[in-house]
Amino acid sequence: MSGKKAFVIGHPIAHTRSPLIHGTWLDTHRIDGSYEAIDVAPDELPRFFERLRSGEFVGGNVTIPHKEAVFALCDDVDPLAKTIGAVNTLVVRDGKISGTNTDYLGFLGNLDQNAPGWSEGLEDAIVLGAGGTARAVLVALRERGIGRVHILNRTRENAEGLAAEIGGPFQVNDFAEFSELAPRARFLVNTTSIGMKGTRFPDLPLQKLPNSAIVSDIVYIPLETALLSDARALGLRTVDGLGMLLHQAVPGFEAWFGVRPQVTAELRAKVEATL
Ligand code: NAP
């Protein structure tokens, strides 16, 4: 019986699926702990950190709009979270608050589970987008040792800025170059918000990808974006974005409650039912 308490803070916080994910794992492992969603407005953040230091919680998750602001309040932030520029997980030990980012592990965990071997010998990958989530994806691809990562973004300067800031095997290209790059790319991932609300990339000739290519999306509402359904129609392997959301929760749960939880089909179905 641990009675350990964890949380997710954000503002607003009503739509978070994290309590469902962690609550399911607490039940599965019969841990006497809790995980609650707490609405913390930006000006209340320092006071919430005082509460944290008092030892009330073992840690928790951080979501919009606090992912950058918590940097200044943590006692330490790990180097990859600094590179990604956002903290989504806090761990409290002996009154010390450590910040980390588990999105890149979530991205890798999802692909490793649903497309085993996807990164073996992968020389060329294409990343669509250069926003906040692209940072975690680029760090993940760099850490996995992918040969060359082509970044295609609506605003080229944003991609150039990101590539320079993160540093890695990155090459910025224009969308117009997709047809030339695609035949060598065995991995394609969308990190933009395109795909939500029925939106789609206007001109992306997926048929130029090799038959062995894996196409992934980080958008998970809807679960099957136009990009994924187009890829599937061409017979390509696809991995949707829901797994990233589920897998990013694993390291936090393990750090707080001492058990490494599994992303099971049952958990996925439970969360999918709420989309
Ligand atoms: P963001 O920082 O605002 O970045 C948005 C990206 O999308 C930028 O590259 C932007 O290009 C591009 N973009 C937006 N509208 C576009 C349009 N009409 N045409 C072309 N490009 C467009 O967003 P984010 O926080 O990274 O989130 C992106 C998506 O990831 C969201 O749908 C979010 O729900 C999802 N997400 C999923 C997970 C998961 O666990 N699966 C985790 C986090 C986020 P410019 O640079 O040109 O503006």
Side-chain angles (χ1 to χ4, degrees), residues 103 129-134 153-155 158 191-194 196 218-220 241-242 244-245 248:
D103 278 339
T133 314
N153 192 47
R154 175 179 60 181
T155 313
N158 292 350
T191 72
T192 76
S193 45
I194 293 182
M196 297 180 79
I218 59 156
V219 171
Y220 57 87
L242 181 56
M244 179 175 171
L245 178 75
Q248 64 76 31

Side-chain angles (χ1 to χ4, degrees), residues 65-133:
H66 303 312
K67 286 184 178 192
E68 291 86 24
V70 297
F71 266 87
L73 296 165
C74 287
D75 296 302
D76 56 73
V77 173
D78 77 30
L80 287 181
K82 282 183 187 156
T83 304
I84 294 167
V87 162
N88 74 343
T89 301
L90 301 172
V91 178
V92 187
R93 281 207 182 102
D94 305 324
K96 234 180 88 179
I97 304 167
S98 303
T100 186
N101 186 304
T102 63
D103 278 339
Y104 84 98
L105 291 174
F107 173 76
L108 293 174
N110 182 29
L111 287 159
D112 289 342
Q113 184 175 45
N114 295 300
W118 67 279
S119 61
E120 277 166 29
L122 181 59
E123 275 309 313
D124 285 81
I126 297 177
V127 172
L128 307 177
T133 314

Side-chain angles (χ1 to χ4, degrees), residues 33-52:
S34 66
Y35 183 100
E36 59 183 308
I38 306 174
D39 193 316
V40 176
D43 61 353
E44 293 168 359
L45 200 56
R47 211 147 40 108
F48 183 78
F49 265 67
E50 281 171 27
R51 229 176 121 185
L52 267 184

Side-chain angles (χ1 to χ4, degrees), residues 140-151:
L141 295 173
R142 183 189 72 183
E143 295 301 299
R144 204 37 93 84
I146 308 309
R148 198 159 32 168
V149 179
H150 301 275
I151 311 171

